[in-house]
Amino acid sequence: MNKMNRIFVALFVAGSFTLLLGSCKKNDTASTLNLGLPQFEEEMEGRAYLDIANNNSFKWNANDQVMAYNIDNADGTQTVKGIWSTNASAEGKASASFTGPDLGSKKDHYFVFYPCDKVASGEDPLDASNFETFNVPDQQEYTLVKGKPTIDKAGMAMACESANFKSFTLKHIFGTLKLRLTGTGKVTQIVVEDKRFNLSGSATMKLHEVDMDKFTTLQNAFVSADDPYNNDSFVSDWNSLKNKLGYSTQGGGKTMTLNCPSVQLSSTETLFFIGLRPGALKYGYKIYVYTEGANEPQVFENAADWHYGIKAGVIKNLALSLN
């Protein structure tokens, strides 16, 4: 599967997560699906701002793929799933048409997930409870699009549930750490280590119980000034959602590695983007920067600080200077 090119320029703007639902008068699955990409909000020095004039956003690439589901709430063995793809006309567009296999007449609702290779079961059928597992690898690759750094597809996760299957916008699940490095040497690898949470692994849940709006509300409450584990209301809401989803995880490790092709640093900031799960970094982190010829990495450490907690759809800025 080809990577999705997402073109990042100076700033990002917050986009609407509102579904762009087209009118659909019949239950049959549409022959084409129009998917919009969500934009990013960027935070610098703890303050969010928008650059509406530039309207920067992700872009689709030709032959990008999503996994689409026509979900039967009562019996997951009747849920139909399949890979839907773009064609060459999608190149460089924030909204593109996808085509794929016939998913049949509408059952209860639809669900779409990007990227396909995070779906552990591939195109295999679901079980009776609609359980699906999504994998998060511990490696990402430094990526340039038209000479500008962007996020590797491995660092992304987007999804949306909808009552219609025609046109809507995906929603962010992950957030992004934007490292702005200055100094000398050539960066070969950057490793982010979370002091509390796994950054890779897998998560399993019932797809028919996914509620992206509820997820957004809870993750925003989690990455706040307060410790959510001391908030009875949050704990109750989170446990309720987990039980409803049948949610379980398998941790893969507390580090995320960005492999770099010897990226030269200078006195001008060089940008590195790393996609991370929501909640990461809030309880402290270490960042290891490896450079050519150095026997040991330079290590940057931060204690627990809610300002650095990763939020879905938000870019967190961190400026570091290497010796």
Side-chain angles (χ1 to χ4, degrees):
M1 179 173 65
N2 291 340
K3 288 186 177 181
M4 181 179 77
N5 291 341
R6 307 170 191 83
I7 302 172
F8 282 89
V9 286
L11 301 171
F12 300 78
V13 299
S16 170
F17 286 158
T18 304
L19 296 181
L20 305 178
L21 299 177
S23 59
C24 186
K25 296 182 180 179
K26 57 183 181 179
N27 287 333
D28 292 340
T29 303
S31 60
T32 60
L33 167 64
N34 188 271
L35 284 178
L37 284 167
Q39 296 172 327
F40 260 109
E41 174 183 331
E42 184 168 9
E43 291 186 359
M44 292 190 67
E45 300 175 352
R47 180 173 298 178
Y49 62 93
L50 307 181
D51 186 7
I52 297 173
N54 286 331
N55 197 32
N56 303 315
S57 65
F58 292 132
K59 308 294 182 184
W60 289 112
N61 189 24
N63 303 314
D64 271 328
Q65 295 179 318
V66 299
M67 188 69 75
Y69 303 78
N70 184 3
I71 294 180
D72 187 311
N73 292 346
D75 182 2
T77 63
Q78 299 303 307
T79 292
V80 182
K81 59 190 287 195
I83 295 175
W84 282 55
S85 307
T86 64
N87 57 29
S89 66
E91 190 72 38
K93 293 182 178 179
S95 182
S97 293
F98 286 69
T99 58
D102 183 10
L103 300 183
S105 298
K106 177 186 173 183
K107 298 178 184 297
D108 288 292
H109 70 282
Y110 300 100
F111 184 79
V112 176
F113 181 86
Y114 175 89
C116 277
D117 50 11
K118 276 189 169 69
V119 179
S121 65
E123 294 183 270
D124 293 342
L126 301 183
D127 66 9
S129 297
N130 282 307
F131 274 111
E132 184 70 283
T133 297
F134 302 95
N135 294 324
V136 180
D138 63 356
Q139 303 281 318
Q140 297 176 32
E141 303 299 322
Y142 179 81
T143 305
L144 292 175
V145 175
K146 296 184 179 180
K148 297 183 181 296
T150 185
I151 306 173
D152 182 8
K153 180 183 63 177
M156 296 301 301
M158 293 181 282
C160 196
E161 77 280 9
S162 173
N164 296 288
F165 194 80
K166 186 175 181 181
S167 178
F168 50 89
T169 297
L170 295 171
K171 300 181 182 182
H172 285 292
I173 299 174
F174 283 11
T176 299
L177 175 64
K178 177 183 177 182
L179 294 176
R180 297 153 37 220
L181 302 188
T182 56
T184 59
K186 295 180 178 180
V187 178
T188 58
Q189 194 175 73
I190 298 173
V191 178
V192 178
E193 179 182 10
D194 193 283
K195 291 188 176 181
R196 178 176 292 195
F197 297 123
N198 286 297
L199 300 183
S200 66
S202 63
T204 301
M205 66 198 75
K206 301 175 183 178
L207 290 190
H208 68 282
E209 298 289 3
V210 171
D211 183 335
M212 291 297 293
D213 290 334
K214 184 67 172 178
F215 160 77
T216 300
T217 299
L218 282 173
Q219 68 93 24
N220 284 336
F222 183 88
V223 189
S224 65
D226 300 321
D227 187 339
Y229 298 117
N230 292 328
N231 184 319
D232 291 340
S233 177
F234 173 86
V235 172
S236 176
D237 287 346
W238 175 229
N239 286 336
S240 175
L241 180 61
K242 284 197 299 183
N243 291 335
K244 189 175 181 180
L245 287 170
Y247 183 81
S248 64
T249 59
Q250 182 66 44
K254 295 182 178 180
T255 63
M256 183 62 68
T257 298
L258 180 68
N259 298 308
C260 306
S262 297
V263 180
Q264 180 67 57
L265 297 181
S266 69
S267 59
T268 301
E269 289 183 344
T270 301
L271 305 182
F272 299 82
F273 293 93
I274 304 172
L276 295 172
R277 51 156 284 182
L281 311 188
K282 174 173 178 172
Y283 292 97
Y285 60 84
K286 289 184 179 180
I287 296 176
Y288 304 82
V289 181
Y290 294 82
T291 54
E292 270 188 11
N295 294 325
E296 299 290 337
Q298 292 196 44
V299 183
F300 303 86
E301 184 173 4
N302 199 71
D305 186 341
W306 69 272
H307 288 93
Y308 293 104
I310 296 296
K311 293 182 180 180
V314 175
I315 298 169
K316 295 285 185 173
N317 273 260
L318 183 60
L320 302 176
S321 179
L322 274 67
N323 296 329

